[in-house]
Amino acid sequence: MLIDVTTPQHLDDRFRESLGALPEPERRRDPAQPVRDGAALTGHQLLALFDAQVTSRQLDLAGRWLRSFGEGFYTIGSAGHEANAAVAAALRPTDPALLHYRSGAFYCARAARAASEFPAADGDEATPTSGVPEPAGAPDDATSVAGDEPSDEQATSPDPFPVGGAPTAAYQVDADGTAEAVPASADPVADPTDVDPAAGGGAASGDPAFGAVQPDAYAAAARDVLRGMVASAREPLAGGRHKVFGRADLAVVPTTSTIASHLPRAVGLGLALERLRRVETAGRRDGADAPPRSPWPRDAIVVCSFGDASVNHASATAALNTAGWYDHTGLRIPVLFVCEDNGLGISVRSPQGWVERTLRARPGLRWFAADGADPVEAYQVAAEAAAWVRRHRRPAVLHLRTVRLLGHAGADAESAYRSAAEIAADEARDPVLATARLLVDAGLATGGDLLSRYDERGWQIRRIAEEVLDEPKLATAAEVVAPLAPRRPARVAAAVAEVAARAGGSGAGARVEAFGGKPPELAGPLTLAQSINAALADGLLAHPQMAVFGEDVAAKGGVYGVTKGLREKFGPARVFDTLLDETSVLGLGLGAGLAGLLPVPEIQYLAYLHNAEDQLRGEAATMQFFSQGAFRNPMVVRVPGLAYQEGFGGHFHNDNSVAVLRDVPGLVIAVPARPDDAAPLLRSCLAAAAVDGSVCVFLEPIALYHTRDLYEPGDGEWLGQYAEPGGWAAGHVPIGRARVYGVGSAQDVTILTFGNGVRMSLRAAAVLADEGIGTRVVDLRWLAPLPVADIIREASATGRVLVVDETRRSGGVGEGIIAALVDAGYVGAARRVAGVDSFVPLGPAARQVLVSEEAITQGARTLLAR
């Protein structure tokens, strides 16, 4: 009977009916042998795949059951995509995986692989983990074939520096079906074919009926997923904050979006892993005592999955293009993209042939394709693709044809956009049923055996679902935000002091050499641009894992010369140019940070950041929040921005919009206005990234880069001295602390401002001082978190507050400052001077919409006249 919607009950009934109708096998096949002639899969492996697929299917049914009485909060399932279990089986459990939301079977198979419960393929050595010796026969050098290595010239292209990582843990299953991490030094993976089938290990060695289901890695994986569905605080990665497929000891990195936003990170991670591997190899050749290592094995590859509709998204386009671009330049990025194509993006069909044509046309990407309805083909092609990427260290895409069962999610009415015949055709291609048919055809089980297994797994998962319902939920705001953006100011200050001690002690000679014999503290007063340049150089000296990159930052030294000379000092491995794509620039940073590096990417102008802001919001800022700190992406993003450029402008180069940044929870935003503040603020950001995994935006006022004077031409009062290392600790600027300037008596009015507003306010304060008005000018320095304590203290000192906000009146920084005053119970007078709600026009017209010194002066006078 044809129906116009696939319900959980219908899908379950149809599957059970189909299993019951399978004929008795004509002969019994040895499960240690291939399931059919020429197949790469053995009977043991096919049985294990079936277990992973059935577990995933039962999780989908459990999710709908939980939702039916309001206790489940996630119903996007994996039904129809269970072929991705074969992809997990073809990979190593230490290959970092970034998965989309239909990856239940992949996750279950990965858990079994890591727990030694998935039968090994021929030639598949004990799973290597970080800190564990390489598999036998692995070469010391790159595994690329002849001709695949880049030339010496190519090898000096983007090449982030490494830092060691913690060993990856194995996955040990307790008696109740939960999983705990065990040290990587534990006993290597045992032969899964030794598992007693009566113990429910998932790989039968004798009787293909393989006994009753017992707690195992599949049950542990199911408990993880179910905890996510019910928002349990005991969910092992996100802790009830998000439904993710992720677990640190399974090398499954959580993805916080489903529309390909994780693909740029995957490219960045692949580039970082390859660079780490090469640097480690070079260290071995040079006889280094302890060459740095990646958190993952030296020959690890990155896998990331996404749906067919996502191939059209800008993030996917950016990632695929960047992978091909780097491959074209001779750099290697070992990433396997897996496009799971069910032909639909919610209700919108992918045009016939479009996905294949799109993927095959991508330069620099090797294309593989497999039918998910054939587990033998899916496994064999996935294994070939993974082996190709691992050997050549180059990107490839696996186009895996799938179907979608149960609709997009629980509320999806398929009848609105699909015919009954289309739904029935997908059901006929059910990948779990395809695996069951092959098991019976191969003589490895009967339909009754498989139905019993299916039912046993179903009851096991139902019991686990009932258990997790009673687990605690996040109950307070403090619990929710605890892992969002940890702040340990004492440790950050200590890190700055340690850097200073090295720079002035054991590293003093290297520092003098790096600066050509004249360190910046001896160079005289510096401009803002010169101070930032010197601070970046000191940062590269202090943090060997730090890399500076972006459009035009290396050869040109930046559009404004801020990174000039850094490549010459530290080499193209640590200071390099990227392609022109902001999404990919941030994606490279995200991947590098995940690999343990300290990336400092530059977005050339603030306006350009808006092209890629979701990489900060959806990927960077959420990583610690959705992994309880198990994963993090430390990063300091340099962004030249704000307005007031003379003779060069328009809204793309004079952008005063920072609202989108201030709206991102946990993001740190620093705005250096004075040269003598630039280096301390940058050191604080670098230390916070290294210590706390902070994601920082260092917003540099372009108009102040080369400013020298404050009051009169030639006075040089906007220049600043660069502190010697001995003064760095004493001059440390904690995140969220302002700077106060007193002009005149400083008793009459308080001006709260930042960036270009600091210079304009100091000039206005000098005019007011001539009128007998004393002013406190407060440079906020940090737009997130705002220096609230300093704001309240300085506002209360005069009882009159003028907020000078060079951003826009609506959605600008001033709104947050006023709100902070109100929330603190401030009862004095307050007034705002802010930019007009307009884009910044070209030429002199810009003065009509931006804050001026005259407006500041008049605003202060108006306050005093009240």
Side-chain angles (χ1 to χ4, degrees), residues 418-764:
R418 302 186 79 192
S419 69
E422 288 175 315
I423 294 172
D426 271 5
E427 289 180 342
R429 286 174 44 79
D430 184 340
V432 188
L433 185 57
T435 302
R437 289 188 181 121
L438 185 56
L439 284 167
V440 172
D441 290 345
L444 295 164
T446 67
D449 293 333
L450 299 177
L451 180 58
S452 295
R453 188 68 172 179
Y454 176 77
D455 284 340
E456 285 291 328
R457 186 67 68 181
W459 283 113
Q460 181 192 54
I461 288 175
R462 180 65 64 89
R463 287 194 299 270
I464 296 173
E466 291 172 346
E467 291 168 7
V468 300
L469 279 174
D470 295 328
E471 292 181 351
K473 307 288 194 295
L474 296 170
T476 67
E479 289 179 342
V480 171
V481 303
L484 174 62
R487 297 275 186 265
R488 293 177 290 186
R491 293 192 183 186
V492 171
V496 171
E498 181 181 349
V499 164
R502 287 201 307 271
S506 60
R511 183 169 181 266
V512 170
E513 181 180 354
F515 283 106
K518 190 175 183 180
E521 59 268 24
L522 301 180
L526 305 179
T527 63
L528 179 66
Q530 291 169 332
S531 294
I532 295 172
N533 178 277
L536 287 169
D538 270 324
L540 286 160
L541 286 166
H543 303 278
Q545 73 273 32
M546 177 177 158
V548 174
F549 54 91
E551 302 160 20
D552 301 306
V553 304
K556 183 180 176 65
V559 173
Y560 297 95
V562 179
T563 56
K564 186 176 182 180
L566 293 182
R567 187 179 71 164
E568 288 70 23
K569 287 184 176 74
F570 299 97
R574 301 187 65 192
V575 182
F576 56 89
D577 291 322
T578 66
L579 74 174
L580 196 156
D581 176 59
E582 288 74 27
T583 294
S584 295
V585 171
L586 292 179
L588 294 175
L590 289 169
L594 186 63
L597 308 180
L598 182 54
V600 183
E602 179 190 287
I603 300 298
Q604 199 165 84
Y605 289 100
L606 177 58
Y608 298 177
L609 178 65
H610 305 313
N611 299 329
E613 58 200 23
D614 188 56
Q615 290 295 298
L616 286 179
R617 184 201 66 84
E619 293 295 321
T622 56
M623 181 54 75
Q624 294 201 89
F625 183 68
F626 289 144
S627 71
Q628 301 185 95
F631 294 101
R632 63 184 204 167
N633 35 236
M635 187 160 61
V636 180
V637 185
R638 291 184 48 252
V639 186
L642 301 175
Y644 298 97
Q645 292 190 77
E646 293 292 338
F648 182 63
H651 75 283
F652 240 50
H653 302 99
N654 275 305
D655 184 30
N656 59 353
S657 176
V658 300
V660 68
L661 295 173
R662 295 194 63 248
D663 186 55
V664 179
L667 196 70
V668 173
I669 307 173
V671 183
R674 295 292 295 260
D676 53 353
D677 269 342
L681 264 63
L682 184 55
R683 278 193 287 270
S684 292
C685 288
L686 292 172
V691 170
D692 292 329
S694 298
V695 180
C696 305
V697 173
F698 200 72
L699 182 56
E700 302 165 7
I702 297 173
L704 298 179
Y705 269 152
H706 305 299
T707 298
R708 307 176 69 86
D709 306 322
L710 175 55
Y711 300 114
E712 300 292 340
D715 67 18
E717 292 196 34
W718 200 255
L719 301 173
Q721 289 291 146
Y722 192 91
E724 62 180 359
W728 293 358
H732 170 59
V733 179
I735 291 175
R737 289 302 305 272
R739 179 174 180 175
V740 182
Y741 301 87
V743 182
S745 67
Q747 298 299 312
D748 298 312
V749 64
T750 298
I751 297 178
L752 303 173
T753 189
F754 63 94
N756 293 287
V758 177
R759 183 172 183 272
M760 290 189 294
S761 294
L762 287 172
R763 288 169 61 88

Side-chain angles (χ1 to χ4, degrees), residues 217-553:
Y218 297 117
R223 189 177 295 273
D224 291 350
V225 176
L226 288 166
R227 281 171 163 164
M229 289 180 181
V230 302
S232 167
R234 293 179 182 169
E235 193 275 326
L237 195 73
R241 293 168 183 83
H242 188 46
K243 163 61 177 66
V244 299
F245 288 114
R247 185 152 184 152
D249 50 6
L250 296 183
V252 178
V253 180
T255 61
T256 58
S257 174
T258 59
I259 314 300
S261 69
H262 57 295
L263 268 62
R265 180 199 295 276
V267 174
L269 180 56
L271 180 63
L273 292 186
E274 183 63 6
R275 294 298 106 196
L276 286 166
R277 189 177 70 87
R278 290 181 180 277
V279 170
E280 180 187 348
T281 298
R284 290 180 177 181
R285 287 177 179 151
D286 296 341
D289 294 334
R293 300 196 58 152
S294 164
W296 287 281
R298 293 180 64 246
D299 63 347
I301 67 174
V302 181
V303 60
C304 59
S305 59
F306 57 102
D308 54 288
S310 296
V311 78
N312 303 301
H313 197 273
S315 296
T317 299
L320 296 171
N321 179 73
T322 300
W325 188 88
Y326 274 112
D327 187 77
H328 182 75
T329 67
L331 290 173
R332 299 310 184 218
I333 298 184
V335 177
L336 177 60
F337 299 98
V338 181
C339 179
E340 298 183 24
D341 183 0
N342 63 27
L344 289 163
I346 303 184
S347 66
V348 179
R349 288 178 172 82
S350 293
Q352 185 69 32
W354 170 250
V355 175
E356 177 178 342
R357 184 174 181 180
T358 299
L359 294 176
R360 295 192 76 166
R362 289 286 176 189
L365 267 67
R366 179 72 175 267
W367 183 77
F368 296 84
D371 183 0
D374 183 346
V376 171
E377 178 181 311
Y379 175 78
Q380 182 164 325
V381 175
E384 290 173 359
W388 189 89
V389 174
R390 198 179 309 278
R391 182 186 183 198
H392 294 277
R393 317 304 295 170
R394 297 177 64 186
V397 59
L398 170 60
H399 184 194
L400 185 64
R401 293 185 295 278
T402 65
V403 296
R404 192 180 74 190
L405 307 175
L406 293 179
H408 174 72
D412 187 24
E414 291 179 284
S415 58
Y417 57 91
R418 302 186 79 192
S419 69
E422 288 175 315
I423 294 172
D426 271 5
E427 289 180 342
R429 286 174 44 79
D430 184 340
V432 188
L433 185 57
T435 302
R437 289 188 181 121
L438 185 56
L439 284 167
V440 172
D441 290 345
L444 295 164
T446 67
D449 293 333
L450 299 177
L451 180 58
S452 295
R453 188 68 172 179
Y454 176 77
D455 284 340
E456 285 291 328
R457 186 67 68 181
W459 283 113
Q460 181 192 54
I461 288 175
R462 180 65 64 89
R463 287 194 299 270
I464 296 173
E466 291 172 346
E467 291 168 7
V468 300
L469 279 174
D470 295 328
E471 292 181 351
K473 307 288 194 295
L474 296 170
T476 67
E479 289 179 342
V480 171
V481 303
L484 174 62
R487 297 275 186 265
R488 293 177 290 186
R491 293 192 183 186
V492 171
V496 171
E498 181 181 349
V499 164
R502 287 201 307 271
S506 60
R511 183 169 181 266
V512 170
E513 181 180 354
F515 283 106
K518 190 175 183 180
E521 59 268 24
L522 301 180
L526 305 179
T527 63
L528 179 66
Q530 291 169 332
S531 294
I532 295 172
N533 178 277
L536 287 169
D538 270 324
L540 286 160
L541 286 166
H543 303 278
Q545 73 273 32
M546 177 177 158
V548 174
F549 54 91
E551 302 160 20
D552 301 306
V553 304

